Amino acid sequence: DADVTQTPRNRITKTGKRIMLECSQTKGHDRMYWYRQDPGLGLRLIYYSFDVKDINKGEISDGYSVSRQAQAKFSLSLESAIPNQTALYFCATSTSVTETQYFGPGTRLLVL
Amino acid sequence: AQSVTQPDIHITVSEGASLELRCNYSYGATPYLFWYVQSPGQGLQLLLKYFSGDTLVQGIKGFEAEFKRSQSSFNLRKPSVHWSDAAEYFCAVGTNNAGNMLTFGGGTRLMVKP
């Protein structure tokens, strides 16, 4: 079984809809991250969490919110989706900045 | 704030040829440096990382990278490319500042000719 899983893997939604992307991990890591990937821009950090009670905004948090339901679960929400949120979204986990970040397989989101 | 530049968006090499992917970073202190690979339809996998010590680091799949402080570079190399190396490669820099975030470059897409 994969260490970091993301659901759904693909999603099409309409402008203005609320959508949630979910991430679960079995690695026992405290740190979890949400990134979005756009062609030519690499990965940009949306939110990160060092533990259940510690959630921080990343580089591009506007229009997004997160919830850390447990050590193993970190969800990303788009309260009112807009077309420029069409992207590939990745969840990742790690134990510290010097340690490897382990990535999920990604969620491809299309906002019409 | 730190930044990462990967000057080459696309690179095409022949199978068996050598490869060098460029990465330049901007950061005031010694950074933590990473190379990740993303195969089509997959997440990112760590190839190698540098924190301190020997400036030439070895990674998985026959890759290596050299940290050059004077040039603010961390170029990835492989002596002989295989068709399975076709993928997108990302350089990233991390710091020990508040946030401990990774900043990624824009990526280099590698194509391998038979």
Side-chain angles (χ1 to χ4, degrees):
Chain A
D1 288 338
D3 295 320
V4 184
T5 57
Q6 293 182 235
T7 56
R9 293 293 312 278
N10 294 281
R11 181 72 183 268
I12 300 173
T13 192
K14 295 182 179 180
T15 297
K17 294 291 187 181
R18 184 179 188 275
I19 183 171
M20 178 181 288
L21 309 182
E22 297 185 337
C23 175
S24 295
Q25 54 113 346
T26 59
K27 298 194 73 65
H29 292 167
D30 287 328
R31 300 181 179 211
M32 297 188 73
Y33 309 82
W34 275 106
Y35 294 92
R36 65 176 278 175
Q37 182 182 16
D38 299 279
L41 297 179
L43 279 74
R44 292 179 292 167
L45 184 64
I46 306 171
Y47 270 95
Y48 59 102
S49 170
F50 287 169
D51 64 41
V52 175
K53 296 181 180 179
D54 184 4
I55 294 178
N56 305 276
K57 293 182 177 180
E59 179 186 356
I60 53 164
S61 59
D62 287 349
Y64 301 95
S65 63
V66 291
S67 173
R68 184 84 182 265
Q69 301 94 325
Q71 186 204 38
K73 296 185 182 295
F74 192 36
S75 300
L76 176 72
S77 293
L78 286 66
E79 297 300 327
S80 179
I82 56 177
N84 78 359
Q85 291 177 314
T86 293
L88 185 55
Y89 290 85
F90 286 105
C91 174
T93 76
S94 76
T95 56
S96 74
V97 68
T98 59
E99 294 302 319
T100 302
Q101 286 195 16
Y102 293 88
F103 286 80
T107 294
R108 191 169 296 279
L109 176 65
L110 174 61
V111 182
L112 299 175
Chain B
Q2 65 268 27
S3 65
V4 180
T5 302
Q6 293 180 245
D8 304 305
I9 298 174
H10 293 99
I11 283 184
T12 301
V13 299
S14 297
E15 190 168 17
S18 63
L19 172 70
E20 182 169 27
L21 303 182
R22 296 183 291 165
C23 172
N24 294 100
Y25 68 90
S26 173
Y27 180 60
T30 300
Y32 308 128
L33 295 161
F34 304 80
W35 273 101
Y36 283 84
V37 60
Q38 183 182 26
S39 298
Q42 309 220 347
L44 277 72
Q45 179 185 22
L46 181 73
L47 286 176
L48 47 79
K49 57 187 178 183
Y50 170 80
F51 301 140
S52 63
D54 192 346
T55 56
L56 184 63
V57 293
Q58 303 296 322
I60 62 171
K61 304 184 181 186
F63 285 92
E64 66 178 26
E66 185 172 12
F67 170 58
K68 293 186 176 180
R69 183 189 303 275
S70 62
Q71 299 176 18
S72 298
S73 69
F74 189 57
N75 294 348
L76 182 71
R77 300 193 295 248
K78 186 170 185 178
S80 178
V81 169
H82 188 263
W83 64 266
S84 61
D85 293 324
E88 189 154 22
Y89 292 80
F90 293 94
C91 181
V93 59
T95 74
N96 218 12
N97 292 337
N100 297 152
M101 295 184 292
L102 278 187
T103 299
F104 284 82
T108 297
R109 183 167 297 279
L110 173 66
M111 290 175 281
V112 180
K113 293 190 299 185

